[in-house]
Structure formats: structure tokens, C-alpha cells
Amino acid sequence: MEDGILPAHVGIIMDGNGRWAKKRLQPRTLGHRAGAQNFRTIIRYASQIGIKYLTVYAFSTENWSRPAEEVGALLRLFKDYLEEALRDFMDENIRVRFIGDVAAFPQELRELIAEVEEASAPKTGMVLNLAMNYGGRAEILRGAKAFAEDVQAGLCQPEDLTEEAFDRYLYTAGQPAPDLIIRPSGEQRVSNFLLWQCAYAEFVYFDILWPDFKPQDLDRAIEIYRSRQRRFGGV
Ligand code: IPE
Ligand code: IPE
Ligand code: MG
């Protein structure tokens, strides 16, 4: 990785596990296992190269519509990963946070989520946001409701709602907006990821399926990001 400005916040839509498995005539769940393995590699690499915030989309609010067997397999993979994170991942200086409505997950998983969040809270390195049961629209509605409740409680007035103030009602409160969002798998859509936060993100799409996405592909995405001219509406 050559020296240069790094994006402070990178988002990754980890897509293409199912097609990866299908290409090998294997069940989709095998693709998810390979994807989960690759997730471990890529987060470590991102932390090594100095990314400050990494948000990975692991499960969307719409992914519940998949067959129960597939959802169950995904929940088991999350559990395995969180148990592993508690065991050895804690040696790494990564702070794990969860964005999304985790209350919808089974109790065992919710407990693990709370443990991982608590155990990694003192970490000072990369912040890893795991987007689980996350949807950008749901996040915005949740923020709007919380703000309305604060108004009702007399804590603030409707006119206090600025973009900066609303930001504090989102899961990513206090974090910079993503500079770069990467989507492997060939699809070129947002799929309800970081809708509010992505207003000025640079998008990079790759024709690679997530389990095949290598650290060099992250480097490549960062190179593409660096070659872009960000204008933020200016000239
Ligand atoms: C991404 O891979 C993982 C999740 C959405 C949980 P997919 O399962 O969407 O893989 P494709 O898009 O069907 O290949
Ligand atoms: C987006 O992928 C969600 C995650 C990667 C977790 P999907 O596979 O669910 O998105 P669509 O259905 O292709 O838009
Ligand atoms: Mg997909």
C-alpha cells in the first residue's frame, strides 16, 4: 500500500457469498462460511493499514426474508465469530460496535453482542461497526422517533434539529461519515446501507464475490478513492 491520504471511514457491503457457493455447486451456507472467514482477514488488514473506522454490512433488515435455514446458518456464524472475538480477538486493538436493531436477535446472541461491546470498549485502535439487522431507513426513523420523544420531554425544540444535531441520533453518532463505500459482487446499489451517512461517500464497485475479496482489493479501492476528486457541491 503506497503512502497517501487514507479514507478515515470505509464501509463494505459484504455481498456475493451465495453466488460464490453456487459457482462451486455448494449450498449457500458454505459461501457464508467462506465470507465470514474473509471478513476476519479483511478487518485485520484494515486495522493494520490504519483505517480508523470500518463499517461492514453483515445482515440487513431485509435479510430476514431469506429461508429460515439460511438465516439460522448466518446467526450461527455470528455467534461463532463473537465467541472467537471474546477469546482471542481481544488481543487486537479493535473496538467493536454494533449498528442495527440487535434486540431482534436471539438472547444468546444479544448477550454475546453486549459482552463484545463491553470488552472492546477500552480499545483505542480501529472502530469496527458491525451492521447487523441494520437498515438505513430504520435507522433514520429510529432517530426521528428519539428526537420527537426528546421534544415531548421538553429537552429540545423542533427548531433545534440541524443536520449535526440529527447525526447524534444515529447509530454512528460521533463518527465521521464514510469516505469510501466498497461493494463487491458486481451489484451496483446501496441496499439500504448508511443512507444518511453516505451523502458524499465515494462508491467503488468490484466484480469480485466477497469470499474472493483480498487485502489487495482493499488497497485497490483506496487507490481508486484517491484518484477521485471530491467536490462536496463546490467547484
Ligand atoms: C452477502 O451475500 C451476505 C448477506 C447478505 C448476509 P449474499 O448471501 O447476498 O450472496 P449473493 O448476493 O446471493 O451472491
Ligand atoms: C446487502 O446484500 C446486505 C448485506 C450484504 C448484508 P443483499 O444481497 O441483501 O442485497 P440485495 O438484495 O442484492 O440488494
Ligand atoms: Mg446478495
Side-chain angles (χ1 to χ4, degrees):
M1 176 85 198
E2 281 175 39
D3 285 350
I5 306 271
L6 274 177
H9 186 167
V10 176
I12 304 181
I13 301 176
M14 303 190 290
D15 193 22
N17 295 347
R19 278 163 281 174
W20 186 90
K22 202 171 166 205
K23 259 176 48 185
R24 287 165 177 74
L25 307 174
Q26 296 290 330
R28 291 176 59 85
T29 50
L30 196 99
H32 292 312
R33 205 176 313 151
Q37 206 45 50
N38 197 42
F39 155 84
R40 290 162 167 87
T41 306
I42 299 298
I43 56 167
R44 290 203 165 95
Y45 183 69
S47 154
Q48 264 168 32
I49 63 174
I51 300 294
K52 296 239 170 354
Y53 296 88
L54 179 70
T55 302
V56 293
Y57 205 3
F59 193 86
S60 76
T61 48
E62 288 74 42
N63 288 146
W64 295 106
S65 67
R66 296 185 178 202
E69 189 195 306
E70 180 168 344
V71 171
L74 284 166
L75 298 191
R76 277 192 294 281
L77 286 169
F78 295 153
K79 181 173 165 276
D80 290 349
Y81 168 69
L82 295 176
E83 282 170 351
E84 177 192 308
L86 278 177
R87 273 198 318 271
D88 25 274
F89 183 60
M90 285 306 156
D91 299 337
E92 311 213 11
N93 197 19
I94 297 177
R95 175 164 184 195
V96 186
R97 303 193 62 250
F98 294 84
I99 66 170
D101 183 12
V102 296
F105 289 120
Q107 191 187 347
E108 196 185 11
L109 200 55
R110 289 202 315 268
E111 283 171 8
L112 272 170
I113 285 171
E115 278 181 68
V116 168
E117 214 155 30
E118 196 190 315
S120 76
K123 304 283 178 179
T124 54
M126 183 177 85
V127 173
L128 171 65
N129 294 316
L130 291 178
M132 284 173 42
N133 193 21
Y134 175 86
R137 287 184 167 187
E139 179 185 34
I140 293 168
L141 279 188
R142 174 182 170 272
K145 280 183 194 156
F147 178 74
E149 277 163 16
D150 283 352
V151 171
Q152 215 167 32
L155 297 171
C156 49
Q157 296 299 315
E159 50 276 20
D160 296 332
L161 192 59
T162 59
E163 291 185 9
E164 290 71 30
F166 190 61
D167 219 69
R168 294 195 287 273
Y169 287 90
L170 301 176
Y171 291 119
T172 51
Q175 303 185 7
D179 302 292
L180 166 64
I181 293 181
I182 305 166
R183 182 164 192 161
S185 92
E187 307 301 350
Q188 304 197 358
R189 54 176 169 260
V190 185
S191 300
N192 209 5
F193 187 49
L194 301 177
L195 292 186
W196 171 275
Q197 298 89 334
C198 78
Y200 275 101
E202 295 293 330
F203 281 86
V204 171
Y205 300 102
F206 282 145
D207 248 325
I208 304 170
L209 302 171
W210 171 249
D212 292 330
F213 185 95
K214 300 272 177 304
Q216 301 89 281
D217 296 314
L218 181 57
D219 288 346
R220 202 154 58 93
I222 294 170
E223 288 307 325
I224 295 170
Y225 165 80
R226 283 176 179 158
S227 71
R228 303 259 179 95
Q229 198 200 348
R230 301 180 82 187
R231 281 191 288 274
F232 300 99
V235 286

Coordinates of all heavy atoms in Angstrom, one line a residue, residues 7-82:
P7 N -8.7 7.0 3.5 CA -10.1 7.4 3.9 C -10.2 7.1 5.4 O -9.8 6.0 5.9 CB -11.0 6.4 3.1 CG -10.1 5.3 2.7 CD -8.7 5.8 2.6
A8 N -10.8 8.0 6.2 CA -10.9 7.8 7.6 C -12.0 6.7 7.9 O -11.8 5.9 8.8 CB -11.3 9.1 8.3
H9 N -13.0 6.7 7.1 CA -14.1 5.7 7.4 C -14.4 5.0 6.1 O -14.7 5.6 5.1 CB -15.3 6.5 7.9 CG -16.5 5.6 8.3 ND1 -17.5 6.1 9.0 CD2 -16.7 4.3 8.2 CE1 -18.4 5.1 9.3 NE2 -17.9 4.0 8.8
V10 N -14.3 3.7 6.1 CA -14.6 2.8 5.0 C -15.8 1.9 5.3 O -15.9 1.4 6.4 CB -13.4 1.9 4.6 CG1 -13.7 1.0 3.5 CG2 -12.2 2.8 4.3
G11 N -16.7 1.8 4.4 CA -17.9 0.9 4.5 C -17.7 -0.2 3.5 O -17.3 0.0 2.4
I12 N -18.1 -1.4 3.9 CA -18.0 -2.5 3.0 C -19.4 -3.3 3.0 O -19.8 -3.7 4.1 CB -16.9 -3.5 3.3 CG1 -15.5 -2.8 3.3 CG2 -16.9 -4.7 2.2 CD1 -14.3 -3.8 3.6
I13 N -20.0 -3.5 1.8 CA -21.2 -4.3 1.7 C -20.7 -5.7 1.3 O -20.3 -5.9 0.2 CB -22.1 -3.7 0.6 CG1 -22.5 -2.2 1.0 CG2 -23.4 -4.6 0.4 CD1 -23.3 -1.5 0.0
M14 N -20.7 -6.6 2.3 CA -20.1 -7.9 2.0 C -21.1 -8.8 1.3 O -21.8 -9.5 1.8 CB -19.7 -8.5 3.4 CG -18.8 -7.7 4.3 SD -18.2 -8.6 5.7 CE -19.7 -8.7 6.7
D15 N -21.0 -8.7 0.0 CA -22.0 -9.3 -0.9 C -21.4 -10.4 -1.8 O -20.3 -10.2 -2.3 CB -22.8 -8.3 -1.7 CG -24.1 -8.8 -2.3 OD1 -24.6 -9.8 -1.8 OD2 -24.5 -8.2 -3.3
G16 N -22.2 -11.4 -2.1 CA -21.7 -12.4 -3.1 C -21.4 -13.7 -2.6 O -21.0 -14.6 -3.3
N17 N -21.7 -14.0 -1.3 CA -21.4 -15.3 -0.7 C -22.2 -16.4 -1.4 O -21.7 -17.5 -1.6 CB -21.8 -15.3 0.8 CG -21.0 -14.3 1.6 OD1 -20.0 -13.8 1.2 ND2 -21.4 -14.1 2.9
G18 N -23.5 -16.1 -1.6 CA -24.3 -17.2 -2.2 C -23.9 -17.6 -3.6 O -23.8 -18.8 -3.9
R19 N -23.5 -16.6 -4.4 CA -23.1 -16.9 -5.8 C -21.7 -17.6 -5.8 O -21.4 -18.4 -6.6 CB -23.0 -15.6 -6.6 CG -24.3 -15.1 -7.2 CD -24.3 -13.7 -7.6 NE -24.5 -12.8 -6.4 CZ -24.4 -11.5 -6.5 NH1 -24.1 -10.9 -7.7 NH2 -24.6 -10.8 -5.5
W20 N -20.9 -17.2 -4.8 CA -19.6 -17.9 -4.6 C -19.8 -19.4 -4.4 O -19.1 -20.2 -5.0 CB -18.8 -17.3 -3.4 CG -17.4 -17.7 -3.2 CD1 -16.3 -17.2 -3.8 CD2 -17.0 -18.8 -2.4 NE1 -15.2 -17.9 -3.3 CE2 -15.6 -18.9 -2.5 CE3 -17.7 -19.8 -1.6 CZ2 -14.8 -19.8 -1.8 CZ3 -16.9 -20.7 -1.0 CH2 -15.5 -20.7 -1.1
A21 N -20.8 -19.7 -3.6 CA -21.0 -21.1 -3.3 C -21.7 -21.8 -4.5 O -21.3 -22.9 -4.9 CB -22.0 -21.3 -2.1
K22 N -22.6 -21.1 -5.1 CA -23.3 -21.7 -6.3 C -22.3 -22.0 -7.4 O -22.4 -23.1 -8.0 CB -24.3 -20.6 -6.8 CG -25.4 -21.3 -7.6 CD -26.5 -20.3 -7.9 CE -27.4 -20.9 -9.0 NZ -28.1 -19.9 -9.7
K23 N -21.3 -21.2 -7.6 CA -20.3 -21.4 -8.6 C -19.6 -22.7 -8.4 O -19.1 -23.4 -9.3 CB -19.3 -20.3 -8.6 CG -19.4 -19.3 -9.7 CD -18.5 -18.1 -9.7 CE -17.0 -18.4 -9.5 NZ -16.2 -17.2 -9.3
R24 N -19.5 -23.1 -7.1 CA -18.8 -24.3 -6.7 C -19.8 -25.5 -6.5 O -19.5 -26.5 -5.9 CB -18.1 -24.1 -5.4 CG -16.9 -23.3 -5.6 CD -16.3 -22.7 -4.4 NE -15.1 -21.9 -4.7 CZ -15.1 -20.7 -5.3 NH1 -16.2 -20.2 -5.6 NH2 -13.9 -20.2 -5.5
L25 N -21.1 -25.3 -6.9 CA -22.1 -26.3 -6.7 C -22.3 -26.7 -5.2 O -22.6 -27.8 -4.9 CB -21.9 -27.5 -7.6 CG -21.6 -27.3 -9.0 CD1 -21.2 -28.5 -9.8 CD2 -22.9 -26.6 -9.7
Q26 N -22.1 -25.7 -4.4 CA -22.2 -25.9 -2.9 C -23.4 -25.2 -2.4 O -23.9 -24.2 -3.0 CB -21.0 -25.4 -2.2 CG -19.7 -26.2 -2.6 CD -19.7 -27.6 -2.1 OE1 -20.2 -27.9 -1.0 NE2 -19.0 -28.5 -2.8
P27 N -23.9 -25.5 -1.2 CA -25.0 -24.8 -0.6 C -24.6 -23.3 -0.2 O -23.4 -23.1 0.1 CB -25.4 -25.6 0.7 CG -24.3 -26.5 1.0 CD -23.5 -26.7 -0.4
R28 N -25.6 -22.4 -0.2 CA -25.3 -21.0 0.0 C -24.6 -20.8 1.4 O -23.7 -19.9 1.6 CB -26.6 -20.2 0.0 CG -27.2 -20.0 -1.3 CD -28.5 -19.3 -1.2 NE -28.3 -18.0 -0.6 CZ -28.0 -16.9 -1.3 NH1 -27.8 -17.0 -2.6 NH2 -27.8 -15.7 -0.7
T29 N -24.9 -21.7 2.4 CA -24.4 -21.5 3.7 C -22.8 -21.7 3.7 O -22.1 -21.1 4.5 CB -25.0 -22.5 4.7 OG1 -24.9 -23.8 4.1 CG2 -26.4 -22.2 5.0
L30 N -22.3 -22.5 2.7 CA -20.9 -22.7 2.6 C -20.2 -21.4 2.2 O -19.2 -21.0 2.7 CB -20.6 -23.8 1.6 CG -19.1 -24.2 1.8 CD1 -19.1 -25.5 2.6 CD2 -18.5 -24.4 0.4
G31 N -21.0 -20.6 1.3 CA -20.5 -19.3 0.9 C -20.4 -18.4 2.1 O -19.5 -17.6 2.2
H32 N -21.4 -18.5 3.0 CA -21.4 -17.6 4.1 C -20.2 -17.9 5.1 O -19.7 -17.0 5.6 CB -22.7 -17.7 4.9 CG -23.9 -17.1 4.1 ND1 -23.9 -15.9 3.5 CD2 -25.1 -17.6 3.8 CE1 -25.0 -15.7 2.9 NE2 -25.8 -16.7 3.1
R33 N -19.9 -19.2 5.1 CA -18.8 -19.5 6.0 C -17.5 -19.0 5.4 O -16.7 -18.4 6.1 CB -18.7 -21.1 6.1 CG -18.0 -21.4 7.4 CD -18.0 -22.9 7.6 NE -19.2 -23.6 7.4 CZ -19.3 -24.9 7.1 NH1 -18.3 -25.6 6.8 NH2 -20.5 -25.5 6.9
A34 N -17.4 -19.1 4.1 CA -16.1 -18.5 3.4 C -16.1 -17.0 3.6 O -15.1 -16.4 3.8 CB -16.1 -18.9 2.0
G35 N -17.3 -16.4 3.5 CA -17.4 -15.0 3.6 C -17.0 -14.5 5.1 O -16.3 -13.5 5.2
A36 N -17.4 -15.3 6.0 CA -17.1 -14.9 7.4 C -15.6 -15.1 7.7 O -15.0 -14.3 8.4 CB -17.9 -15.9 8.4
Q37 N -15.0 -16.1 7.1 CA -13.6 -16.2 7.2 C -12.8 -15.0 6.6 O -11.9 -14.5 7.1 CB -13.1 -17.5 6.5 CG -11.9 -18.2 7.0 CD -11.8 -18.2 8.6 OE1 -12.7 -18.6 9.2 NE2 -10.7 -17.6 9.1
N38 N -13.3 -14.6 5.4 CA -12.7 -13.5 4.7 C -12.9 -12.2 5.5 O -12.0 -11.3 5.5 CB -13.2 -13.3 3.3 CG -12.3 -12.5 2.5 OD1 -11.1 -12.6 2.5 ND2 -12.9 -11.6 1.7
F39 N -14.0 -12.1 6.2 CA -14.3 -10.9 7.0 C -13.2 -10.7 8.0 O -12.6 -9.7 8.3 CB -15.6 -11.1 7.6 CG -15.9 -10.4 8.9 CD1 -16.3 -9.0 8.9 CD2 -15.7 -11.0 10.1 CE1 -16.5 -8.4 10.1 CE2 -15.9 -10.3 11.3 CZ -16.3 -9.0 11.3
R40 N -12.7 -11.9 8.6 CA -11.7 -11.8 9.7 C -10.4 -11.3 9.1 O -9.7 -10.5 9.7 CB -11.4 -13.2 10.2 CG -12.6 -13.7 11.1 CD -12.5 -15.3 11.2 NE -13.3 -15.8 12.3 CZ -14.5 -16.2 12.1 NH1 -15.2 -16.0 11.0 NH2 -15.2 -16.8 13.1
T41 N -10.0 -11.8 7.9 CA -8.8 -11.3 7.2 C -8.9 -9.8 6.9 O -7.9 -9.1 7.1 CB -8.7 -12.1 5.8 OG1 -8.7 -13.5 6.1 CG2 -7.4 -11.7 5.1
I42 N -10.0 -9.4 6.3 CA -10.1 -8.0 5.9 C -10.1 -7.0 7.0 O -9.5 -6.0 7.0 CB -11.3 -7.8 4.9 CG1 -11.1 -8.7 3.6 CG2 -11.4 -6.3 4.5 CD1 -9.9 -8.4 2.8
I43 N -10.8 -7.4 8.1 CA -10.8 -6.4 9.2 C -9.4 -6.2 9.8 O -9.0 -5.1 10.2 CB -11.9 -6.7 10.3 CG1 -11.7 -8.1 10.9 CG2 -13.3 -6.5 9.9 CD1 -12.4 -8.3 12.2
R44 N -8.7 -7.3 9.9 CA -7.3 -7.2 10.5 C -6.5 -6.4 9.6 O -5.7 -5.6 10.0 CB -6.7 -8.6 10.6 CG -7.4 -9.4 11.7 CD -6.5 -10.5 12.3 NE -7.0 -11.0 13.5 CZ -7.8 -12.1 13.6 NH1 -8.1 -12.8 12.6 NH2 -8.3 -12.5 14.8
Y45 N -6.6 -6.6 8.3 CA -5.8 -5.8 7.3 C -6.1 -4.3 7.4 O -5.3 -3.5 7.4 CB -6.0 -6.4 5.9 CG -5.1 -5.6 4.9 CD1 -3.7 -5.8 4.9 CD2 -5.7 -4.8 4.0 CE1 -2.9 -5.1 4.0 CE2 -4.8 -4.1 3.1 CZ -3.5 -4.3 3.1 OH -2.7 -3.6 2.3
A46 N -7.4 -4.0 7.5 CA -7.9 -2.6 7.5 C -7.3 -2.0 8.8 O -6.8 -0.8 8.7 CB -9.4 -2.5 7.5
S47 N -7.3 -2.7 9.9 CA -6.8 -2.1 11.1 C -5.2 -1.9 11.0 O -4.7 -0.9 11.4 CB -7.1 -3.1 12.2 OG -6.2 -3.0 13.3
Q48 N -4.6 -2.9 10.4 CA -3.1 -2.8 10.2 C -2.7 -1.6 9.3 O -1.7 -0.9 9.6 CB -2.6 -4.0 9.4 CG -2.0 -5.1 10.2 CD -1.8 -6.4 9.3 OE1 -1.5 -6.2 8.1 NE2 -2.0 -7.5 9.9
I49 N -3.4 -1.3 8.3 CA -3.0 -0.2 7.4 C -3.5 1.2 7.9 O -3.2 2.2 7.4 CB -3.5 -0.4 5.9 CG1 -5.0 -0.4 5.8 CG2 -2.9 -1.6 5.3 CD1 -5.5 -0.4 4.4
G50 N -4.2 1.2 9.0 CA -4.5 2.4 9.7 C -5.9 3.0 9.4 O -6.1 4.2 9.7
I51 N -6.8 2.2 9.0 CA -8.2 2.7 8.8 C -8.7 3.0 10.2 O -8.6 2.2 11.1 CB -9.1 1.7 8.1 CG1 -8.5 1.4 6.7 CG2 -10.5 2.1 8.0 CD1 -8.6 2.5 5.7
K52 N -9.4 4.1 10.4 CA -9.8 4.5 11.7 C -11.2 3.9 12.0 O -11.6 3.6 13.2 CB -9.8 6.0 11.9 CG -8.4 6.6 11.8 CD -8.1 7.4 13.1 CE -6.7 7.8 13.2 NZ -5.7 7.5 12.2
Y53 N -12.1 3.9 11.0 CA -13.4 3.4 11.2 C -13.8 2.5 10.0 O -13.6 2.9 8.8 CB -14.5 4.6 11.2 CG -14.3 5.5 12.3 CD1 -13.5 6.6 12.2 CD2 -15.1 5.3 13.5 CE1 -13.3 7.5 13.3 CE2 -14.9 6.2 14.6 CZ -14.0 7.3 14.5 OH -13.9 8.1 15.5
L54 N -14.2 1.3 10.3 CA -14.6 0.4 9.3 C -16.1 -0.1 9.6 O -16.3 -0.6 10.7 CB -13.7 -0.8 9.2 CG -14.0 -1.9 8.2 CD1 -13.8 -1.4 6.8 CD2 -13.2 -3.2 8.4
T55 N -17.0 0.1 8.7 CA -18.3 -0.4 8.9 C -18.6 -1.5 7.9 O -18.5 -1.3 6.7 CB -19.4 0.7 8.7 OG1 -19.1 1.8 9.6 CG2 -20.8 0.2 9.0
V56 N -19.0 -2.7 8.4 CA -19.3 -3.8 7.5 C -20.7 -4.2 7.6 O -21.3 -4.3 8.7 CB -18.3 -5.0 7.7 CG1 -16.9 -4.7 7.3 CG2 -18.4 -5.5 9.1
Y57 N -21.3 -4.4 6.5 CA -22.7 -4.8 6.4 C -22.8 -6.3 6.4 O -22.4 -7.0 5.5 CB -23.3 -4.2 5.1 CG -24.8 -3.9 5.0 CD1 -25.6 -4.1 6.1 CD2 -25.3 -3.5 3.8 CE1 -27.0 -3.8 6.0 CE2 -26.7 -3.2 3.7 CZ -27.5 -3.3 4.8 OH -28.8 -3.0 4.7
A58 N -23.3 -6.8 7.5 CA -23.3 -8.3 7.7 C -24.7 -8.9 7.5 O -24.9 -10.0 7.1 CB -22.8 -8.7 9.1
F59 N -25.7 -8.1 7.9 CA -27.1 -8.6 7.8 C -28.1 -7.4 7.8 O -28.0 -6.5 8.7 CB -27.4 -9.4 9.1 CG -28.7 -10.3 9.0 CD1 -28.6 -11.5 8.4 CD2 -29.9 -9.8 9.5 CE1 -29.8 -12.3 8.3 CE2 -31.0 -10.6 9.4 CZ -31.0 -11.8 8.8
S60 N -28.9 -7.3 6.8 CA -29.8 -6.2 6.6 C -31.2 -6.5 7.2 O -31.5 -7.7 7.4 CB -29.9 -5.8 5.1 OG -30.8 -6.8 4.5
T61 N -31.9 -5.4 7.4 CA -33.3 -5.6 7.9 C -34.1 -6.4 6.9 O -35.1 -7.0 7.3 CB -34.0 -4.2 8.2 OG1 -33.8 -3.4 7.0 CG2 -33.4 -3.5 9.4
E62 N -33.7 -6.4 5.7 CA -34.4 -7.2 4.7 C -34.0 -8.7 4.6 O -34.7 -9.5 4.0 CB -34.3 -6.6 3.3 CG -35.0 -5.2 3.1 CD -34.4 -4.1 3.8 OE1 -33.1 -3.9 3.8 OE2 -35.1 -3.3 4.5
N63 N -32.8 -9.0 5.1 CA -32.3 -10.3 5.0 C -33.1 -11.4 5.8 O -33.0 -12.6 5.6 CB -30.8 -10.4 5.4 CG -29.9 -9.8 4.4 OD1 -28.9 -9.2 4.8 ND2 -30.2 -9.9 3.1
W64 N -34.0 -10.9 6.7 CA -34.9 -11.9 7.4 C -35.8 -12.6 6.4 O -36.4 -13.6 6.7 CB -35.8 -11.2 8.4 CG -35.0 -10.6 9.6 CD1 -34.8 -9.2 9.7 CD2 -34.4 -11.2 10.7 NE1 -34.1 -9.0 10.9 CE2 -33.8 -10.2 11.5 CE3 -34.3 -12.6 11.1 CZ2 -33.2 -10.5 12.7 CZ3 -33.7 -12.8 12.3 CH2 -33.1 -11.8 13.1
S65 N -36.0 -12.0 5.2 CA -36.9 -12.7 4.2 C -36.3 -13.9 3.6 O -36.9 -14.6 2.8 CB -37.3 -11.6 3.2 OG -36.1 -11.3 2.4
R66 N -35.1 -14.2 3.9 CA -34.4 -15.4 3.3 C -35.0 -16.7 4.0 O -35.5 -16.6 5.1 CB -32.9 -15.3 3.5 CG -32.4 -14.1 2.7 CD -30.9 -14.1 2.7 NE -30.4 -13.0 1.9 CZ -29.2 -12.9 1.4 NH1 -28.3 -13.8 1.6 NH2 -28.9 -11.8 0.7
P67 N -34.7 -17.8 3.4 CA -35.2 -19.1 4.0 C -34.7 -19.2 5.5 O -33.6 -18.8 5.7 CB -34.7 -20.2 3.1 CG -34.4 -19.5 1.8 CD -34.1 -18.1 2.1
A68 N -35.5 -19.7 6.3 CA -35.2 -19.8 7.8 C -33.8 -20.6 8.0 O -33.1 -20.2 8.8 CB -36.3 -20.6 8.5
E69 N -33.6 -21.5 7.1 CA -32.4 -22.3 7.3 C -31.1 -21.4 7.0 O -30.1 -21.5 7.7 CB -32.4 -23.4 6.2 CG -31.3 -24.5 6.4 CD -31.2 -25.3 5.1 OE1 -32.3 -25.9 4.7 OE2 -30.1 -25.4 4.5
E70 N -31.2 -20.6 6.0 CA -30.1 -19.7 5.7 C -29.9 -18.6 6.8 O -28.8 -18.4 7.3 CB -30.3 -19.0 4.4 CG -29.2 -18.0 4.0 CD -29.2 -17.5 2.6 OE1 -29.9 -18.1 1.7 OE2 -28.5 -16.6 2.3
V71 N -31.0 -18.1 7.3 CA -31.0 -17.1 8.4 C -30.3 -17.8 9.6 O -29.4 -17.2 10.3 CB -32.3 -16.5 8.7 CG1 -32.3 -15.6 10.0 CG2 -32.9 -15.7 7.6
G72 N -30.8 -19.0 9.9 CA -30.2 -19.7 11.1 C -28.7 -19.9 10.9 O -28.0 -19.8 11.9
A73 N -28.3 -20.3 9.7 CA -26.8 -20.5 9.5 C -26.1 -19.2 9.7 O -25.0 -19.2 10.3 CB -26.6 -21.0 8.1
L74 N -26.6 -18.1 9.3 CA -26.0 -16.8 9.4 C -25.9 -16.5 10.9 O -24.8 -16.0 11.4 CB -26.7 -15.7 8.7 CG -26.5 -15.7 7.2 CD1 -27.5 -14.8 6.5 CD2 -25.1 -15.2 6.8
L75 N -26.9 -16.7 11.7 CA -26.9 -16.4 13.1 C -25.8 -17.3 13.8 O -25.1 -16.8 14.7 CB -28.3 -16.6 13.8 CG -29.4 -15.7 13.3 CD1 -30.6 -15.8 14.2 CD2 -29.0 -14.2 13.1
R76 N -25.7 -18.5 13.4 CA -24.7 -19.4 14.0 C -23.3 -18.9 13.7 O -22.4 -18.9 14.5 CB -24.8 -20.8 13.5 CG -25.9 -21.6 14.2 CD -25.8 -23.1 13.9 NE -26.1 -23.4 12.6 CZ -27.4 -23.5 12.1 NH1 -28.4 -23.2 12.9 NH2 -27.6 -23.8 10.8
L77 N -23.1 -18.4 12.5 CA -21.8 -17.8 12.1 C -21.5 -16.6 12.9 O -20.3 -16.3 13.3 CB -21.7 -17.5 10.6 CG -21.6 -18.7 9.7 CD1 -21.8 -18.3 8.2 CD2 -20.2 -19.4 9.8
F78 N -22.5 -15.8 13.2 CA -22.3 -14.6 14.0 C -21.8 -15.0 15.4 O -20.9 -14.4 16.0 CB -23.6 -13.7 14.1 CG -24.1 -13.1 12.8 CD1 -25.4 -12.8 12.6 CD2 -23.2 -12.8 11.8 CE1 -25.8 -12.2 11.5 CE2 -23.6 -12.2 10.6 CZ -24.9 -12.0 10.5
K79 N -22.5 -16.0 15.9 CA -22.2 -16.5 17.3 C -20.8 -17.0 17.3 O -20.0 -16.6 18.2 CB -23.2 -17.6 17.6 CG -23.0 -18.2 19.0 CD -24.2 -19.2 19.3 CE -23.9 -20.0 20.5 NZ -23.1 -21.2 20.1
D80 N -20.4 -17.8 16.3 CA -19.0 -18.3 16.3 C -18.0 -17.2 16.3 O -17.0 -17.2 17.0 CB -18.8 -19.1 15.0 CG -19.5 -20.4 15.1 OD1 -20.0 -20.8 16.1 OD2 -19.6 -21.1 14.0
Y81 N -18.3 -16.2 15.5 CA -17.4 -15.1 15.4 C -17.3 -14.3 16.7 O -16.2 -14.0 17.2 CB -17.8 -14.1 14.3 CG -16.9 -12.8 14.4 CD1 -15.6 -12.9 14.1 CD2 -17.5 -11.7 14.8 CE1 -14.8 -11.7 14.3 CE2 -16.7 -10.5 15.0 CZ -15.4 -10.6 14.7 OH -14.6 -9.5 14.9
L82 N -18.4 -14.0 17.3 CA -18.4 -13.2 18.6 C -17.7 -14.0 19.7 O -17.0 -13.4 20.5 CB -19.8 -12.8 19.0 CG -20.5 -11.9 18.0 CD1 -21.9 -11.6 18.4 CD2 -19.7 -10.6 17.8

